[in-house]
């Protein structure tokens, strides 16, 4: 198979590629092949899903010119994936929190308007980034609806509570 003028030899998933890169930088085990096997979990919580790859690393004897030196043997024991958990789900929960807060404060419903919800979606992504490093974040959306400037504070604890039912999904892939 040729892609962009290059011959494709193999396809590997992200977890395997990370394991390969990790193995290039380190040496594993001093004994014979399989004597000291190290196990690692490579966990990737992306926007659209969560993936966990379980890999093992072990020293393997080399043949030919490099006799006496060990290379690293990588074995992928398993891969788990869940498309129902990820960063977009957290954004969605945060957007819904902001919409509910707006409705409580201003006694107006905005959930039916796609444009207003898109503004909240953008703000939710920004607030999520802030909450990853801080315990609370201020949010402001100018003229979100009915000439109202929406302002609020969201805490990390409130976001964790809103996403509590998804917590097992993030660990399930392991």
């Amino acid at each position: 198979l040729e892609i962009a003028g290059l011959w494709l030899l193999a396809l590997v998933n992200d977890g395997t590629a990370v394991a390969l890169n990790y193995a290039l930088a380190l040496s594993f085990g001093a004994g014979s092949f399989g004597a000291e096997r190290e196990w690692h979990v490579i966990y990737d919580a992306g926007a659209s899903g969560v993936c966990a790859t379980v890999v093992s690393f072990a020293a393997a004897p080399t043949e030919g010119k490099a006799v006496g030196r060990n290379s690293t043997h990588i074995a992928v024991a398993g891969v788990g994936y869940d498309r129902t958990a990820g960063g977009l789900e957290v954004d969605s929960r945060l957007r819904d929190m902001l919409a509910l807060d707006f409705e409580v404060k201003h006694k107006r419903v905005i959930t039916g308007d796609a444009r207003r919800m898109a503004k909240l979606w953008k703000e939710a992504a920004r607030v999520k980034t802030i909450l990853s490093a801080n315990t609370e974040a201020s949010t402001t959306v100018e003229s979100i609806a009915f000439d109202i400037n929406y302002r609020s504070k969201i805490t990390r604890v409130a976001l964790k509570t809103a996403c509590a039912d998804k917590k097992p999904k993030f660990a399930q892939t392991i």
Side-chain angles (χ1 to χ4, degrees):
L1 178 67
E2 187 177 334
I3 299 176
L6 301 172
W7 285 97
L8 179 67
L9 299 177
L11 289 175
V12 295
N13 71 3
D14 293 348
T16 306
V18 169
L20 181 61
N21 187 41
Y22 183 70
L24 290 173
L26 302 172
S27 60
F28 295 90
S32 62
F33 175 67
E36 289 187 40
R37 187 169 289 279
E38 287 187 24
W39 291 91
H40 295 262
V41 175
I42 298 164
Y43 188 81
D44 179 18
S48 62
V50 176
C51 182
T53 306
V54 179
V55 296
S56 66
F57 301 94
T62 57
E63 299 174 6
K65 293 181 181 180
V67 173
R69 295 179 57 200
N70 284 338
S71 60
T72 302
H73 181 263
I74 304 169
V76 177
V79 177
Y81 194 81
D82 187 353
R83 291 178 189 234
T84 64
L88 292 177
E89 180 62 28
V90 176
D91 287 355
S92 175
R93 298 286 173 99
L94 190 49
R95 181 206 58 196
D96 293 345
M97 287 173 58
L98 295 172
L100 180 62
D101 184 54
F102 179 87
E103 290 173 15
V104 168
K105 284 182 177 178
H106 300 288
K107 309 291 189 256
R108 304 260 181 121
V109 178
I110 60 170
T111 54
D113 188 328
R115 184 173 180 191
R116 293 170 182 162
M117 293 302 283
K119 285 183 177 183
L120 285 182
W121 185 276
K122 183 178 177 182
E123 184 65 10
R126 188 188 72 77
V127 169
K128 180 183 75 173
T129 304
I130 293 169
L131 289 177
S132 69
N134 300 292
T135 57
E136 69 178 28
S138 296
T139 179
T140 303
V141 181
E142 292 185 16
S143 189
I144 187 168
F146 316 108
D147 290 328
I148 297 172
N149 295 330
Y150 171 66
R151 289 180 179 81
S152 187
K153 281 195 182 215
I154 303 293
T155 64
R156 186 185 304 162
V157 173
L159 179 59
K160 283 184 175 183
T161 302
C163 297
D165 63 317
K166 286 291 182 181
K167 188 175 180 180
K169 291 291 222 175
F170 281 88
Q172 183 179 359
T173 57
I174 298 173

